Amino acid sequence: MRVVLAEDGDLLRAGVLALLEGHDDIEVVAAATSLPELLAAVDEHRPDVVLTDIRMPPDLTDEGIRAAGELRRTHPGVGVVALTQYSDVEYALDLVREGSDGRGYLLKERVADVDELVTALRTVAAGGSVIDQLVVDSLVAGGARRADSVLDRLTPRELEVLGMVARGMTNAAIADQLAVTDRAVEKHVGSILTKLDLPADAPVHRRVAATLVFLSEAGVGGIALG
C-alpha cells in the first residue's frame, strides 16, 4: 500500500513515518507539509491512500478537507484519511459530502494505536469508509439536537436504533442489545431510512448517510478532546 503523508508538525510527521515504516507492506512514498505539496505529491506518486492533517499551511483551516474534495475529482481512486485533534462533525460531513467511499475521519490520538491506524488506511484504500468512534460517541452521548430536527420524525425506539447504527453496530448486535429479533431490527432500520429520505441510490451508503444525519442533528461544531 502506497501512502502520501501530509502533516506540518515535525514531531508528529516523524512519529507517523516511523510507525508506518514498521509495516513491510506499507510504503510512504512522500511526506508533505502543505496543501500544494500534498496535491503535487499525489500527482507525482499516485498513492493508494493519503493520510493528511485537516489543518495545515497555507491557511491552517480545512486544507485536508479541501484536498479530499480536489482528489475526488482529479484522482478518484485515491483514498483519504483525515486526521484532526477535534471531533468536529461539520468537518466529517464535509469530508463525505460527495460520497463516503474511500474516506476516513480519525482523531490524532488514534496515531498512538498503529494497528487501528493501519486498519483505517487499508479500509479506506480498499474503498471503504471510517468515522472515528469517539466522534460518534461524544455526540450520541450529548443527546441534544437542533430545533425542528429531522430526527423528530422517528419514534423513540427508532431513535435508539439509529444511535446504535451510528455507533457502528450490526443489525445482529442491535437485536441482541434490545432483546428483539433480527427481523424487528431490519424493520426499524428500513423505517428510519425511509423517514430520513435516504434513497437507495444515494451517493453515500444509506447506513453511513443515516449516521451522518444523526451526527449533524445531534450536535455541531468542534468538541475539543485535549
Side-chain angles (χ1 to χ4, degrees), residues 168-222:
M169 295 174 66
T170 64
N171 283 4
I174 294 171
D176 184 63
Q177 178 79 19
L178 298 179
V180 299
T181 65
D182 288 359
R183 178 59 181 161
V185 175
E186 290 175 9
K187 291 179 66 176
H188 284 311
V189 172
S191 177
I192 289 165
L193 297 176
T194 298
K195 290 180 178 180
L196 296 182
D197 298 325
L198 297 173
D201 60 350
V204 181
H205 187 283
R206 294 177 87 202
R207 285 179 77 99
V208 175
T211 296
L212 294 173
V213 169
F214 183 88
L215 294 178
S216 64
E217 297 294 329
V220 295

Side-chain angles (χ1 to χ4, degrees), residues 129-148:
S129 60
V130 176
I131 300 175
D132 196 294
Q133 199 60 51
L134 285 180
V135 178
V136 176
D137 286 347
S138 64
L139 292 171
V140 170
R145 60 179 185 266
R146 296 169 176 171
D148 300 321

Side-chain angles (χ1 to χ4, degrees), residues 21-205:
E21 288 173 353
H23 289 259
D24 294 338
D25 62 336
I26 295 177
E27 179 185 8
V28 180
V29 295
T33 60
S34 69
L35 176 57
E37 287 183 11
L38 167 57
L39 296 178
V42 174
D43 284 340
E44 179 179 354
H45 297 283
R46 304 299 175 108
D48 300 298
V49 63
V50 167
L51 178 62
T52 180
D53 193 0
I54 285 182
R55 300 180 182 183
M56 58 185 169
D59 301 321
L60 298 175
T61 54
D62 63 346
E63 284 78 9
I65 302 299
R66 282 188 276 151
E70 177 68 16
L71 294 177
R72 177 74 75 186
R73 293 181 287 275
T74 61
H75 299 280
V78 175
V80 177
V81 175
L83 291 173
T84 181
Q85 68 186 83
Y86 301 105
S87 61
D88 192 324
V89 68
E90 292 299 324
Y91 281 151
L93 289 167
D94 286 342
L95 181 67
V96 299
R97 200 170 300 280
E98 297 177 29
S100 63
D101 54 305
R103 293 295 179 265
Y105 183 90
L106 292 180
L107 298 179
K108 283 187 176 180
E109 62 191 71
R110 297 301 189 197
V111 171
D113 186 338
V114 65
D115 290 336
E116 185 168 359
L117 176 62
V118 169
T119 296
L121 289 172
R122 287 178 175 148
T123 298
V124 169
S129 60
V130 176
I131 300 175
D132 196 294
Q133 199 60 51
L134 285 180
V135 178
V136 176
D137 286 347
S138 64
L139 292 171
V140 170
R145 60 179 185 266
R146 296 169 176 171
D148 300 321
S149 170
V150 65
L151 299 182
D152 291 337
R153 303 174 186 174
L154 306 183
T155 67
R157 176 47 66 93
E158 288 170 347
L159 189 59
E160 183 179 15
V161 170
L162 179 54
M164 294 180 181
V165 169
R167 288 188 173 97
M169 295 174 66
T170 64
N171 283 4
I174 294 171
D176 184 63
Q177 178 79 19
L178 298 179
V180 299
T181 65
D182 288 359
R183 178 59 181 161
V185 175
E186 290 175 9
K187 291 179 66 176
H188 284 311
V189 172
S191 177
I192 289 165
L193 297 176
T194 298
K195 290 180 178 180
L196 296 182
D197 298 325
L198 297 173
D201 60 350
V204 181
H205 187 283

